[in-house]
Amino acid sequence: GMTRATLALLSLDPARALSLHPLVFVAAPLFAVATFLGAKAFVTEGEVRFSRRFARFFGPAFVVLMLAMIALWALRFQGAFGGPVAV
């Protein structure tokens, strides 16, 4: 659901993105920023290295996001948030 939600978000269809995966509005920007900063560091420094400031934010944010995704997954099996999304 996250991939299709991200594609819907990129297609400027936030309602569909929300219906596919409610966490897309948090996860997609977080991973986009991490990807951009990692690529920038690789091009400029020759290795992927994040600043301490970013690592202090991204580490806990990633853990919280993964816990939220697991909770959402479990809730969807119980029928919340539209239940399982058809594949």
Side-chain angles (χ1 to χ4, degrees), residues 4 14 32 49 61:
R4 289 179 286 157
R49 178 181 292 180

Side-chain angles (χ1 to χ4, degrees), residues 38 43 48 58 61 73 82:
V43 169
V48 177
F58 186 74
W73 175 73

Side-chain angles (χ1 to χ4, degrees), residues 2-4 8 12 23 33-34 37 40 44-45 50 57 59 61 70 82:
M2 182 61 77
T3 302
R4 289 179 286 157
L12 302 177
L23 294 174
V33 167
L37 291 176
K40 179 181 170 236
T44 59
E45 300 172 23
F50 295 106
F57 167 77
I70 291 169

Side-chain angles (χ1 to χ4, degrees), residues 14-72:
R16 176 146 170 81
L18 181 64
S19 71
L20 289 168
H21 204 295
L23 294 174
V24 70
F25 299 103
V26 177
L30 191 64
F31 285 113
V33 167
T35 301
F36 172 77
L37 291 176
K40 179 181 170 236
F42 183 76
V43 169
T44 59
E45 300 172 23
E47 63 183 342
V48 177
R49 178 181 292 180
F50 295 106
S51 70
R52 287 186 185 267
R53 190 175 113 205
F54 180 78
R56 268 187 262 136
F57 167 77
F58 186 74
F62 181 76
V63 171
V64 169
L65 180 62
M66 291 300 108
L67 291 173
M69 284 187 172
I70 291 169
L72 177 64

